[in-house]
Amino acid sequence: MIDKELIPLGEIAARTPNSFVDGPFGSEMKSDEYTETGVRLIQLQNIGDGAWIDDNQKFISADKFAALKRHGGRPGRYGYRQDGRSRGSSLCASSHC
């Protein structure tokens, strides 16, 4: 395990709307909206413990992404997952968004 410094989220949060978001869930994102190409989804299983896991690639259309814009990842943003089975994992988005 890599030693990590703990920093309160409030210290790194942008002071802008939607600097923390969750989802999309349920009716906002359905599997029948996946496309063969388009905007790459970041899924729970892609976020390892400080590492990007490039398996299980899923995509959505640009129009669907526009509808879900508040959930979009950008370089320099962080992703965090906690799925009930783990203590949580995070990574910094670089070229994967």
Side-chain angles (χ1 to χ4, degrees):
M1 181 201 261
I2 300 170
D3 289 333
K4 298 177 180 108
E5 179 184 357
L6 296 178
I7 301 170
L9 293 176
E11 289 184 20
I12 62 171
R15 304 291 187 238
T16 58
N18 299 320
S19 64
F20 286 96
V21 297
D22 60 357
F25 301 108
S27 63
E28 285 188 287
M29 183 79 259
K30 297 181 181 176
S31 60
D32 65 352
E33 296 175 297
Y34 296 162
T35 58
E36 292 293 317
T37 61
V39 179
R40 172 76 186 270
L41 292 177
I42 299 173
Q43 303 176 93
L44 290 177
Q45 57 266 43
N46 297 130
I47 302 174
D49 192 9
W52 175 256
I53 301 168
D54 203 32
D55 297 336
N56 195 25
Q57 296 184 11
K58 302 281 191 247
F59 302 88
I60 56 173
S61 70
D63 288 342
K64 183 63 180 179
F65 177 74
L68 300 173
K69 187 175 183 176
R70 77 180 282 272
H71 303 285
R74 297 284 185 267
R77 291 190 178 173
Y78 284 83
Y80 177 80
R81 77 159 198 195
Q82 187 167 10
D83 58 11
R85 295 172 292 169
S86 66
R87 61 178 167 75
S89 299
S90 64
L91 66 91
C92 179
S94 57
S95 61
H96 299 294
C97 298

